[in-house]
Amino acid sequence: MLSAGVIQTSIEDLKSITKVGLVVVSESGAIMADTSGKIQIDEGRIEEFIASPADSQAVAGHLYLKIFDEDEVAYVLVCEDSNEDYTIAKIAVSQIQNLIIAYKERFDKNNFFQNLILDNLLLVDIYNRAKKLHIDIDVSRVVCLVETRYDKDNGALEMLKSLFSSQVGDFVTAVDEKSIIIIKRMEKDQSYQSVEEVCRTIVDMINAEAMIKVKVAYGNIVNELKDVSKSYKEAKMALDVGKIFYADKDVISYGTLGIGRLIYQLPVSLCQMFIEEIFGQKMPDNLDEETISTINAFLENNLNVSETARKLFVHRNTLLYRLEKLQKSSGLDIRVFDDALTLKIALMVVSYLKYLENMEY
């Protein structure tokens, strides 16, 4: 149902052009909008008019017209009874009825896309409702998931709605108190690089204008409407995996999750068994800060001893001493590729287990 403010604005615009005052009344006789100031509303007459079969009627010196929402009377428009006013009143009725249709379609689209991404629609319902709502079926789309730091952050939602227009096929909706979904229509010449740029723009714009820190994740591009839910699930996984393994990134793509996605999908018991087999009782999270920073730097510099020593501002022999110390404690020589890979995976598994442990509290 339209708000009183929307109806008031609509008939005020009409009065500024025609100089004719109008009153819009609800079924119960409550005044929703008034630009006349002199028309007196009789609730009994409103009820009688609504019950009558006529769409318009002259009653007690005023002209009454019904405003329909599909086949039901939604409002009654009242104006002065004259031939000139009748034409203007019919224009007002048409305008408000079109507003009702537009607002209902907007609400229905919101409901449709929310049910679509949550897999609450049958395949036949997807195509039937999409046709009714004038939503293209065979166009490429990608789902971007924006997570704000704070609950109920309406500023970010409104900003995104202004950035992405439904006129070009984009759609923005809130999934929960922290997450906002953008279903972005993709043109034929757009690629994942275009999606990355869009997501980077979102982060920069919200951070600069609303002073809100957000994370954005996106799934794979899909070519059919029914697959939008798949892209949403991928974006959601990318967001979750990004928090665990790529906490420093503001934009995370499902297609670049790599081994982090594999670890995220492993059973917890298997992860724990893997860690115990490699480290025994000495878990990697018990390693001192110096050892952890050394491991990370060595892996980031592709197992290059000289480059790692330079980045850590230590002597080459000091670095070799640390690596040998790590080898004695863990049994892994990360100068060897296989051992380095094992340790890299182990550290990621530990991050995953710690994340799960924190989620329980």
Side-chain angles (χ1 to χ4, degrees):
M1 194 65 73
L2 295 177
S3 68
V6 170
I7 300 173
Q8 182 72 31
T9 300
S10 178
I11 63 174
E12 279 178 355
D13 290 343
L14 198 57
K15 184 180 181 180
S16 67
I17 299 170
T18 65
K19 311 305 179 186
V20 174
L22 303 168
V23 178
V24 178
V25 186
S26 69
E27 293 177 88
S28 62
I31 295 177
M32 302 294 293
D34 185 355
T35 59
S36 170
K38 59 183 180 181
I39 298 176
Q40 299 297 315
I41 300 300
D42 186 323
E43 293 182 12
R45 285 178 179 157
I46 293 292
E47 291 178 4
E48 290 175 8
F49 173 59
I50 291 174
S52 72
D55 290 345
S56 63
Q57 196 174 71
V59 180
H62 298 311
L63 182 64
Y64 288 63
L65 295 92
K66 292 177 182 177
I67 301 172
F68 290 93
D69 179 357
E70 295 184 353
D71 296 327
E72 300 292 328
V73 177
Y75 307 102
V76 173
L77 182 83
V78 185
C79 72
E80 294 295 335
D81 184 12
S82 71
N83 291 331
E84 183 182 1
D85 289 358
Y86 178 79
T87 303
I88 293 166
K90 289 292 288 184
I91 292 172
V93 168
S94 176
Q95 182 170 317
I96 294 172
Q97 285 186 165
N98 286 332
L99 279 173
I100 290 172
I101 293 170
Y103 271 71
K104 280 187 67 178
E105 184 173 295
R106 180 178 176 183
F107 172 79
D108 287 346
K109 279 187 178 181
N110 188 71
N111 181 267
F112 170 75
F113 276 113
Q114 287 187 345
N115 281 293
L116 177 65
I117 62 175
L118 296 174
D119 283 332
N120 290 337
L121 297 173
L122 297 174
L123 186 60
V124 65
D125 292 333
I126 292 174
Y127 292 116
N128 288 341
R129 291 185 62 182
K131 184 178 180 180
K132 184 178 179 181
L133 295 170
H134 309 292
I135 298 171
D136 292 330
I137 296 171
D138 298 321
V139 299
S140 297
R141 293 179 173 89
V142 66
V143 175
C144 303
L145 190 57
V146 182
E147 184 181 74
T148 60
R149 180 178 294 181
Y150 305 107
D151 290 349
K152 298 179 180 177
D153 212 322
N154 293 325
L157 178 61
E158 293 307 315
M159 196 174 294
L160 290 172
K161 283 184 176 180
S162 67
L163 183 64
F164 296 93
S165 170
S166 59
Q167 301 296 322
V168 297
D170 296 339
F171 185 78
V172 180
T173 186
V175 230
D176 52 41
E177 293 182 334
K178 281 189 176 181
S179 301
I180 302 167
I181 289 177
I182 302 163
I183 301 174
K184 179 82 177 71
R185 177 170 177 159
M186 302 293 293
E187 301 300 331
K188 290 182 179 179
D189 60 339
Q190 290 183 305
S191 63
Y192 285 102
Q193 181 60 37
S194 302
V195 183
E196 184 78 18
E197 290 171 1
V198 167
C199 292
R200 178 55 55 192
T201 300
I202 292 170
V203 172
D204 293 342
M205 182 187 71
I206 296 179
N207 187 32
E209 297 187 21
M211 302 300 289
I212 302 168
K213 189 170 179 61
V214 298
K215 282 186 177 293
V216 183
Y218 61 93
N220 286 326
I221 297 172
V222 295
N223 298 316
E224 292 186 37
L225 185 62
K226 66 180 179 65
D227 293 326
V228 166
S229 63
K230 180 183 176 185
S231 185
Y232 165 69
K233 290 170 187 173
E234 291 169 347
K236 192 173 186 308
M237 179 181 284
L239 193 63
D240 292 339
V241 174
K243 291 177 190 175
I244 303 169
F245 305 116
Y246 314 106
D248 57 327
K249 290 187 176 182
D250 294 326
V251 177
I252 308 107
S253 163
Y254 176 81
T256 59
L257 293 178
I259 200 168
R261 179 166 52 123
L262 176 62
I263 294 171
Y264 181 77
Q265 294 174 309
L266 290 174
V268 175
S269 58
L270 189 60
C271 293
Q272 292 171 336
M273 187 185 304
F274 174 71
I275 294 299
E276 289 174 5
E277 287 176 357
I278 296 175
F279 296 102
Q281 299 301 316
K282 189 173 178 61
M283 295 286 285
D285 56 341
N286 293 328
L287 296 174
D288 59 82
E289 188 176 335
E290 181 184 83
T291 303
I292 292 294
S293 62
T294 300
I295 293 170
N296 290 333
F298 194 63
L299 295 174
E300 288 169 6
N301 288 283
N302 301 315
L303 316 186
N304 186 307
V305 174
S306 299
E307 185 64 20
T308 304
R310 189 178 69 82
K311 288 288 178 67
L312 291 174
F313 301 103
V314 298
H315 194 275
R316 177 187 172 91
N317 291 340
T318 303
L319 176 60
L320 291 173
Y321 170 76
R322 292 181 185 177
L323 298 179
E324 288 170 1
K325 182 181 175 182
L326 175 64
Q327 182 181 0
K328 289 178 182 178
S329 63
S330 66
L332 296 172
D333 183 0
I334 60 172
R335 291 168 291 185
V336 179
F337 176 77
D338 286 350
D339 284 359
L341 181 60
T342 300
L343 185 60
K344 173 68 174 176
I345 295 172
L347 291 174
M348 293 180 74
V349 170
V350 169
S351 296
Y352 174 56
L353 293 174
K354 288 175 69 176
Y355 173 79
L356 293 179
E357 184 180 338
N358 292 333
M359 288 288 288
E360 293 176 359
Y361 294 100

